[in-house]
Amino acid sequence: MSTTKIKTAQLWGKNKDDLKKQLGDLKTELAQLRTQKVAGGNNSKLTKIHDLRKSVARVLTVINATQRSQLRLFYQKKKYLPLDLRPKKTRAIRRRLTKHEAGIVSEKQKKKQMHFPQRKYAVKAEA
């Protein structure tokens, strides 16, 4: 039983199988502490339960972060990204025209600009 807090820096170097094993160990230990608490254990169990819950969260965070980074590498050269890997931004910004779409000039507009260009006026300066 590991009653010490787990440091996140130690978890980054581990592979997925080690992390899953450690997660299982932490969860079983947490279940044991909870049953002891219900049975009428002392108050020191509460802080251990707190530390274990936070340790489980740290392990899960590392697992999820590594999984997301692997997915980002996998989808790097693909045309489409999964929704959860796309930048969040705001709804309005996501629906806005892209720079390419905004810069497109239609055939009709091209003809109009060619046949009726912007007029140039010269203003005579008074001396």
Side-chain angles (χ1 to χ4, degrees), residues 36-73:
Q36 289 175 8
K37 179 185 148 191
V38 171
N42 56 358
N43 288 338
S44 66
K45 301 262 187 294
L46 293 174
T47 56
K48 287 181 184 176
I49 288 174
H50 177 268
D51 291 345
L52 275 175
R53 285 178 59 235
K54 300 304 172 188
S55 297
V56 167
R58 284 187 191 100
V59 172
L60 285 173
T61 301
V62 170
I63 289 172
N64 289 332
T66 51
Q67 192 174 19
R68 284 177 67 86
S69 66
Q70 292 298 320
L71 281 172
R72 282 192 193 283
L73 287 173

mmCIF file of all heavy atoms in Angstrom, residues 36-73:
data_model
loop_
_atom_site.group_PDB
_atom_site.id
_atom_site.type_symbol
_atom_site.label_atom_id
_atom_site.label_comp_id
_atom_site.label_asym_id
_atom_site.label_seq_id
_atom_site.Cartn_x
_atom_site.Cartn_y
_atom_site.Cartn_z
ATOM 1 N N GLN A 36 -13.049 0.640 5.401
ATOM 2 C CA GLN A 36 -12.571 0.822 6.777
ATOM 3 C C GLN A 36 -13.225 2.045 7.415
ATOM 4 O O GLN A 36 -13.530 2.040 8.610
ATOM 5 C CB GLN A 36 -11.046 0.989 6.786
ATOM 6 C CG GLN A 36 -10.290 -0.283 6.473
ATOM 7 C CD GLN A 36 -8.796 -0.041 6.364
ATOM 8 O OE1 GLN A 36 -8.310 1.041 6.664
ATOM 9 N NE2 GLN A 36 -8.073 -1.065 5.919
ATOM 10 N N LYS A 37 -13.444 3.075 6.639
ATOM 11 C CA LYS A 37 -14.072 4.295 7.150
ATOM 12 C C LYS A 37 -15.510 4.006 7.580
ATOM 13 O O LYS A 37 -15.969 4.455 8.638
ATOM 14 C CB LYS A 37 -14.052 5.368 6.070
ATOM 15 C CG LYS A 37 -14.705 6.679 6.464
ATOM 16 C CD LYS A 37 -14.736 7.617 5.266
ATOM 17 C CE LYS A 37 -15.953 8.492 5.339
ATOM 18 N NZ LYS A 37 -16.214 9.237 4.134
ATOM 19 N N VAL A 38 -16.222 3.228 6.737
ATOM 20 C CA VAL A 38 -17.613 2.877 7.064
ATOM 21 C C VAL A 38 -17.653 1.982 8.303
ATOM 22 O O VAL A 38 -18.540 2.115 9.143
ATOM 23 C CB VAL A 38 -18.277 2.170 5.855
ATOM 24 C CG1 VAL A 38 -19.628 1.600 6.241
ATOM 25 C CG2 VAL A 38 -18.426 3.150 4.703
ATOM 26 N N ALA A 39 -16.666 1.101 8.424
ATOM 27 C CA ALA A 39 -16.616 0.184 9.566
ATOM 28 C C ALA A 39 -16.309 0.909 10.871
ATOM 29 O O ALA A 39 -16.518 0.372 11.952
ATOM 30 C CB ALA A 39 -15.567 -0.900 9.322
ATOM 31 N N GLY A 40 -15.823 2.146 10.763
ATOM 32 C CA GLY A 40 -15.585 2.936 11.973
ATOM 33 C C GLY A 40 -14.119 3.144 12.260
ATOM 34 O O GLY A 40 -13.690 2.988 13.399
ATOM 35 N N GLY A 41 -13.374 3.459 11.252
ATOM 36 C CA GLY A 41 -11.954 3.722 11.444
ATOM 37 C C GLY A 41 -11.736 5.124 11.995
ATOM 38 O O GLY A 41 -12.676 5.894 12.192
ATOM 39 N N ASN A 42 -10.468 5.450 12.219
ATOM 40 C CA ASN A 42 -10.166 6.774 12.781
ATOM 41 C C ASN A 42 -10.156 7.848 11.684
ATOM 42 O O ASN A 42 -10.263 7.564 10.499
ATOM 43 C CB ASN A 42 -8.819 6.729 13.532
ATOM 44 C CG ASN A 42 -7.700 6.242 12.646
ATOM 45 O OD1 ASN A 42 -7.906 5.897 11.502
ATOM 46 N ND2 ASN A 42 -6.500 6.215 13.218
ATOM 47 N N ASN A 43 -9.976 9.093 12.104
ATOM 48 C CA ASN A 43 -10.083 10.218 11.170
ATOM 49 C C ASN A 43 -8.879 10.365 10.240
ATOM 50 O O ASN A 43 -8.954 11.098 9.254
ATOM 51 C CB ASN A 43 -10.279 11.531 11.951
ATOM 52 C CG ASN A 43 -11.659 11.610 12.555
ATOM 53 O OD1 ASN A 43 -12.576 10.937 12.089
ATOM 54 N ND2 ASN A 43 -11.819 12.424 13.589
ATOM 55 N N SER A 44 -7.772 9.714 10.547
ATOM 56 C CA SER A 44 -6.597 9.822 9.672
ATOM 57 C C SER A 44 -6.875 9.191 8.306
ATOM 58 O O SER A 44 -6.197 9.488 7.331
ATOM 59 C CB SER A 44 -5.386 9.162 10.315
ATOM 60 O OG SER A 44 -5.597 7.773 10.424
ATOM 61 N N LYS A 45 -7.895 8.313 8.259
ATOM 62 C CA LYS A 45 -8.269 7.688 6.981
ATOM 63 C C LYS A 45 -8.785 8.737 5.996
ATOM 64 O O LYS A 45 -8.613 8.601 4.789
ATOM 65 C CB LYS A 45 -9.348 6.629 7.207
ATOM 66 C CG LYS A 45 -8.977 5.515 8.134
ATOM 67 C CD LYS A 45 -8.524 4.304 7.373
ATOM 68 C CE LYS A 45 -8.311 3.112 8.241
ATOM 69 N NZ LYS A 45 -7.227 3.217 9.179
ATOM 70 N N LEU A 46 -9.410 9.785 6.516
ATOM 71 C CA LEU A 46 -9.999 10.797 5.637
ATOM 72 C C LEU A 46 -8.933 11.498 4.799
ATOM 73 O O LEU A 46 -9.122 11.712 3.598
ATOM 74 C CB LEU A 46 -10.789 11.825 6.459
ATOM 75 C CG LEU A 46 -12.050 11.316 7.149
ATOM 76 C CD1 LEU A 46 -12.643 12.388 8.034
ATOM 77 C CD2 LEU A 46 -13.060 10.877 6.116
ATOM 78 N N THR A 47 -7.807 11.831 5.413
ATOM 79 C CA THR A 47 -6.749 12.493 4.647
ATOM 80 C C THR A 47 -6.116 11.524 3.650
ATOM 81 O O THR A 47 -5.767 11.929 2.535
ATOM 82 C CB THR A 47 -5.648 13.050 5.573
ATOM 83 O OG1 THR A 47 -5.147 11.990 6.380
ATOM 84 C CG2 THR A 47 -6.196 14.150 6.458
ATOM 85 N N LYS A 48 -6.014 10.255 4.029
ATOM 86 C CA LYS A 48 -5.470 9.258 3.096
ATOM 87 C C LYS A 48 -6.405 9.086 1.906
ATOM 88 O O LYS A 48 -5.955 8.962 0.761
ATOM 89 C CB LYS A 48 -5.268 7.917 3.801
ATOM 90 C CG LYS A 48 -4.091 7.906 4.751
ATOM 91 C CD LYS A 48 -3.932 6.551 5.391
ATOM 92 C CE LYS A 48 -2.808 6.570 6.409
ATOM 93 N NZ LYS A 48 -2.684 5.295 7.123
ATOM 94 N N ILE A 49 -7.719 9.083 2.187
ATOM 95 C CA ILE A 49 -8.706 8.981 1.101
ATOM 96 C C ILE A 49 -8.568 10.170 0.163
ATOM 97 O O ILE A 49 -8.572 10.029 -1.057
ATOM 98 C CB ILE A 49 -10.137 8.870 1.668
ATOM 99 C CG1 ILE A 49 -10.347 7.494 2.302
ATOM 100 C CG2 ILE A 49 -11.180 9.118 0.593
ATOM 101 C CD1 ILE A 49 -11.658 7.332 3.021
ATOM 102 N N HIS A 50 -8.408 11.347 0.731
ATOM 103 C CA HIS A 50 -8.246 12.567 -0.064
ATOM 104 C C HIS A 50 -7.011 12.472 -0.965
ATOM 105 O O HIS A 50 -7.068 12.737 -2.171
ATOM 106 C CB HIS A 50 -8.144 13.782 0.859
ATOM 107 C CG HIS A 50 -7.896 15.066 0.148
ATOM 108 N ND1 HIS A 50 -6.625 15.545 -0.067
ATOM 109 C CD2 HIS A 50 -8.744 15.955 -0.424
ATOM 110 C CE1 HIS A 50 -6.706 16.688 -0.728
ATOM 111 N NE2 HIS A 50 -7.984 16.955 -0.962
ATOM 112 N N ASP A 51 -5.888 12.052 -0.365
ATOM 113 C CA ASP A 51 -4.641 11.932 -1.131
ATOM 114 C C ASP A 51 -4.770 10.895 -2.243
ATOM 115 O O ASP A 51 -4.283 11.096 -3.360
ATOM 116 C CB ASP A 51 -3.482 11.567 -0.205
ATOM 117 C CG ASP A 51 -3.121 12.704 0.740
ATOM 118 O OD1 ASP A 51 -3.559 13.849 0.486
ATOM 119 O OD2 ASP A 51 -2.410 12.446 1.732
ATOM 120 N N LEU A 52 -5.440 9.771 -1.937
ATOM 121 C CA LEU A 52 -5.606 8.726 -2.945
ATOM 122 C C LEU A 52 -6.478 9.199 -4.104
ATOM 123 O O LEU A 52 -6.188 8.914 -5.270
ATOM 124 C CB LEU A 52 -6.215 7.478 -2.323
ATOM 125 C CG LEU A 52 -5.229 6.520 -1.678
ATOM 126 C CD1 LEU A 52 -5.954 5.390 -0.981
ATOM 127 C CD2 LEU A 52 -4.296 5.960 -2.728
ATOM 128 N N ARG A 53 -7.538 9.926 -3.780
ATOM 129 C CA ARG A 53 -8.407 10.443 -4.839
ATOM 130 C C ARG A 53 -7.631 11.384 -5.760
ATOM 131 O O ARG A 53 -7.767 11.335 -6.987
ATOM 132 C CB ARG A 53 -9.614 11.181 -4.246
ATOM 133 C CG ARG A 53 -10.655 10.252 -3.662
ATOM 134 C CD ARG A 53 -11.816 11.000 -3.035
ATOM 135 N NE ARG A 53 -12.477 11.857 -3.998
ATOM 136 C CZ ARG A 53 -12.673 13.173 -3.829
ATOM 137 N NH1 ARG A 53 -12.252 13.764 -2.731
ATOM 138 N NH2 ARG A 53 -13.297 13.872 -4.733
ATOM 139 N N LYS A 54 -6.819 12.236 -5.178
ATOM 140 C CA LYS A 54 -6.019 13.167 -5.972
ATOM 141 C C LYS A 54 -4.971 12.414 -6.801
ATOM 142 O O LYS A 54 -4.696 12.787 -7.943
ATOM 143 C CB LYS A 54 -5.318 14.199 -5.079
ATOM 144 C CG LYS A 54 -6.282 15.053 -4.268
ATOM 145 C CD LYS A 54 -7.266 15.755 -5.168
ATOM 146 C CE LYS A 54 -8.349 16.440 -4.359
ATOM 147 N NZ LYS A 54 -9.428 16.969 -5.184
ATOM 148 N N SER A 55 -4.416 11.347 -6.239
ATOM 149 C CA SER A 55 -3.439 10.543 -6.974
ATOM 150 C C SER A 55 -4.082 9.849 -8.170
ATOM 151 O O SER A 55 -3.500 9.785 -9.251
ATOM 152 C CB SER A 55 -2.798 9.503 -6.061
ATOM 153 O OG SER A 55 -2.087 10.136 -5.026
ATOM 154 N N VAL A 56 -5.299 9.330 -7.971
ATOM 155 C CA VAL A 56 -6.045 8.719 -9.079
ATOM 156 C C VAL A 56 -6.274 9.749 -10.176
ATOM 157 O O VAL A 56 -6.088 9.471 -11.372
ATOM 158 C CB VAL A 56 -7.389 8.136 -8.575
ATOM 159 C CG1 VAL A 56 -8.308 7.789 -9.737
ATOM 160 C CG2 VAL A 56 -7.151 6.909 -7.722
ATOM 161 N N ALA A 57 -6.639 10.963 -9.774
ATOM 162 C CA ALA A 57 -6.873 12.033 -10.753
ATOM 163 C C ALA A 57 -5.596 12.359 -11.518
ATOM 164 O O ALA A 57 -5.627 12.578 -12.736
ATOM 165 C CB ALA A 57 -7.402 13.271 -10.043
ATOM 166 N N ARG A 58 -4.453 12.363 -10.834
ATOM 167 C CA ARG A 58 -3.175 12.660 -11.496
ATOM 168 C C ARG A 58 -2.840 11.595 -12.536
ATOM 169 O O ARG A 58 -2.429 11.903 -13.654
ATOM 170 C CB ARG A 58 -2.052 12.757 -10.466
ATOM 171 C CG ARG A 58 -2.072 14.048 -9.692
ATOM 172 C CD ARG A 58 -0.833 14.181 -8.811
ATOM 173 N NE ARG A 58 -1.024 15.300 -7.896
ATOM 174 C CZ ARG A 58 -1.394 15.189 -6.623
ATOM 175 N NH1 ARG A 58 -1.567 13.992 -6.088
ATOM 176 N NH2 ARG A 58 -1.563 16.258 -5.874
ATOM 177 N N VAL A 59 -3.031 10.336 -12.149
ATOM 178 C CA VAL A 59 -2.731 9.235 -13.073
ATOM 179 C C VAL A 59 -3.639 9.327 -14.306
ATOM 180 O O VAL A 59 -3.183 9.208 -15.444
ATOM 181 C CB VAL A 59 -2.883 7.868 -12.368
ATOM 182 C CG1 VAL A 59 -2.771 6.728 -13.367
ATOM 183 C CG2 VAL A 59 -1.836 7.720 -11.287
ATOM 184 N N LEU A 60 -4.919 9.562 -14.073
ATOM 185 C CA LEU A 60 -5.859 9.676 -15.192
ATOM 186 C C LEU A 60 -5.522 10.862 -16.084
ATOM 187 O O LEU A 60 -5.642 10.786 -17.314
ATOM 188 C CB LEU A 60 -7.298 9.810 -14.662
ATOM 189 C CG LEU A 60 -7.925 8.527 -14.136
ATOM 190 C CD1 LEU A 60 -9.260 8.823 -13.483
ATOM 191 C CD2 LEU A 60 -8.100 7.526 -15.265
ATOM 192 N N THR A 61 -5.083 11.963 -15.486
ATOM 193 C CA THR A 61 -4.696 13.140 -16.260
ATOM 194 C C THR A 61 -3.525 12.827 -17.171
ATOM 195 O O THR A 61 -3.526 13.194 -18.348
ATOM 196 C CB THR A 61 -4.337 14.305 -15.319
ATOM 197 O OG1 THR A 61 -5.471 14.597 -14.500
ATOM 198 C CG2 THR A 61 -3.934 15.538 -16.090
ATOM 199 N N VAL A 62 -2.534 12.122 -16.640
ATOM 200 C CA VAL A 62 -1.358 11.767 -17.450
ATOM 201 C C VAL A 62 -1.767 10.815 -18.573
ATOM 202 O O VAL A 62 -1.344 10.979 -19.725
ATOM 203 C CB VAL A 62 -0.258 11.150 -16.562
ATOM 204 C CG1 VAL A 62 0.854 10.555 -17.403
ATOM 205 C CG2 VAL A 62 0.305 12.206 -15.637
ATOM 206 N N ILE A 63 -2.613 9.843 -18.270
ATOM 207 C CA ILE A 63 -3.079 8.894 -19.299
ATOM 208 C C ILE A 63 -3.804 9.643 -20.408
ATOM 209 O O ILE A 63 -3.533 9.441 -21.603
ATOM 210 C CB ILE A 63 -3.997 7.813 -18.677
ATOM 211 C CG1 ILE A 63 -3.186 6.862 -17.808
ATOM 212 C CG2 ILE A 63 -4.729 7.027 -19.759
ATOM 213 C CD1 ILE A 63 -4.025 5.887 -17.008
ATOM 214 N N ASN A 64 -4.732 10.521 -20.038
ATOM 215 C CA ASN A 64 -5.507 11.254 -21.037
ATOM 216 C C ASN A 64 -4.636 12.200 -21.851
ATOM 217 O O ASN A 64 -4.808 12.330 -23.066
ATOM 218 C CB ASN A 64 -6.646 12.038 -20.379
ATOM 219 C CG ASN A 64 -7.734 11.123 -19.869
ATOM 220 O OD1 ASN A 64 -7.934 10.041 -20.400
ATOM 221 N ND2 ASN A 64 -8.428 11.549 -18.832
ATOM 222 N N ALA A 65 -3.687 12.861 -21.200
ATOM 223 C CA ALA A 65 -2.821 13.807 -21.910
ATOM 224 C C ALA A 65 -1.938 13.088 -22.929
ATOM 225 O O ALA A 65 -1.779 13.559 -24.063
ATOM 226 C CB ALA A 65 -1.967 14.584 -20.919
ATOM 227 N N THR A 66 -1.391 11.944 -22.533
ATOM 228 C CA THR A 66 -0.543 11.201 -23.476
ATOM 229 C C THR A 66 -1.375 10.656 -24.634
ATOM 230 O O THR A 66 -0.933 10.690 -25.783
ATOM 231 C CB THR A 66 0.191 10.043 -22.784
ATOM 232 O OG1 THR A 66 -0.762 9.260 -22.059
ATOM 233 C CG2 THR A 66 1.243 10.547 -21.841
ATOM 234 N N GLN A 67 -2.583 10.219 -24.326
ATOM 235 C CA GLN A 67 -3.466 9.708 -25.375
ATOM 236 C C GLN A 67 -3.812 10.814 -26.368
ATOM 237 O O GLN A 67 -3.780 10.602 -27.589
ATOM 238 C CB GLN A 67 -4.739 9.150 -24.727
ATOM 239 C CG GLN A 67 -5.603 8.351 -25.655
ATOM 240 C CD GLN A 67 -6.762 7.706 -24.919
ATOM 241 O OE1 GLN A 67 -7.123 8.123 -23.812
ATOM 242 N NE2 GLN A 67 -7.359 6.711 -25.530
ATOM 243 N N ARG A 68 -4.112 12.004 -25.857
ATOM 244 C CA ARG A 68 -4.440 13.132 -26.745
ATOM 245 C C ARG A 68 -3.236 13.538 -27.582
ATOM 246 O O ARG A 68 -3.378 13.861 -28.767
ATOM 247 C CB ARG A 68 -4.939 14.321 -25.928
ATOM 248 C CG ARG A 68 -6.358 14.151 -25.427
ATOM 249 C CD ARG A 68 -6.777 15.313 -24.559
ATOM 250 N NE ARG A 68 -6.888 16.554 -25.284
ATOM 251 C CZ ARG A 68 -7.983 16.950 -25.941
ATOM 252 N NH1 ARG A 68 -9.043 16.184 -25.953
ATOM 253 N NH2 ARG A 68 -8.015 18.105 -26.572
ATOM 254 N N SER A 69 -2.046 13.519 -27.013
ATOM 255 C CA SER A 69 -0.860 13.891 -27.788
ATOM 256 C C SER A 69 -0.594 12.869 -28.896
ATOM 257 O O SER A 69 -0.209 13.245 -30.003
ATOM 258 C CB SER A 69 0.354 14.039 -26.887
ATOM 259 O OG SER A 69 0.711 12.807 -26.337
ATOM 260 N N GLN A 70 -0.826 11.572 -28.597
ATOM 261 C CA GLN A 70 -0.678 10.543 -29.631
ATOM 262 C C GLN A 70 -1.701 10.735 -30.744
ATOM 263 O O GLN A 70 -1.388 10.582 -31.930
ATOM 264 C CB GLN A 70 -0.840 9.141 -29.019
ATOM 265 C CG GLN A 70 0.274 8.736 -28.090
ATOM 266 C CD GLN A 70 1.614 8.669 -28.774
ATOM 267 O OE1 GLN A 70 1.723 8.213 -29.892
ATOM 268 N NE2 GLN A 70 2.653 9.156 -28.107
ATOM 269 N N LEU A 71 -2.934 11.088 -30.370
ATOM 270 C CA LEU A 71 -3.976 11.338 -31.379
ATOM 271 C C LEU A 71 -3.627 12.546 -32.240
ATOM 272 O O LEU A 71 -3.854 12.543 -33.453
ATOM 273 C CB LEU A 71 -5.335 11.556 -30.702
ATOM 274 C CG LEU A 71 -6.053 10.295 -30.262
ATOM 275 C CD1 LEU A 71 -7.275 10.644 -29.430
ATOM 276 C CD2 LEU A 71 -6.454 9.462 -31.458
ATOM 277 N N ARG A 72 -3.081 13.591 -31.611
ATOM 278 C CA ARG A 72 -2.666 14.771 -32.378
ATOM 279 C C ARG A 72 -1.602 14.397 -33.410
ATOM 280 O O ARG A 72 -1.629 14.867 -34.538
ATOM 281 C CB ARG A 72 -2.131 15.851 -31.448
ATOM 282 C CG ARG A 72 -3.215 16.609 -30.741
ATOM 283 C CD ARG A 72 -2.683 17.854 -30.066
ATOM 284 N NE ARG A 72 -3.651 18.402 -29.150
ATOM 285 C CZ ARG A 72 -4.719 19.113 -29.520
ATOM 286 N NH1 ARG A 72 -4.925 19.345 -30.789
ATOM 287 N NH2 ARG A 72 -5.568 19.582 -28.629
ATOM 288 N N LEU A 73 -0.650 13.547 -33.011
ATOM 289 C CA LEU A 73 0.372 13.093 -33.960
ATOM 290 C C LEU A 73 -0.241 12.271 -35.087
ATOM 291 O O LEU A 73 0.141 12.411 -36.251
ATOM 292 C CB LEU A 73 1.434 12.255 -33.233
ATOM 293 C CG LEU A 73 2.392 13.015 -32.333
ATOM 294 C CD1 LEU A 73 3.273 12.047 -31.563
ATOM 295 C CD2 LEU A 73 3.240 13.971 -33.148
#
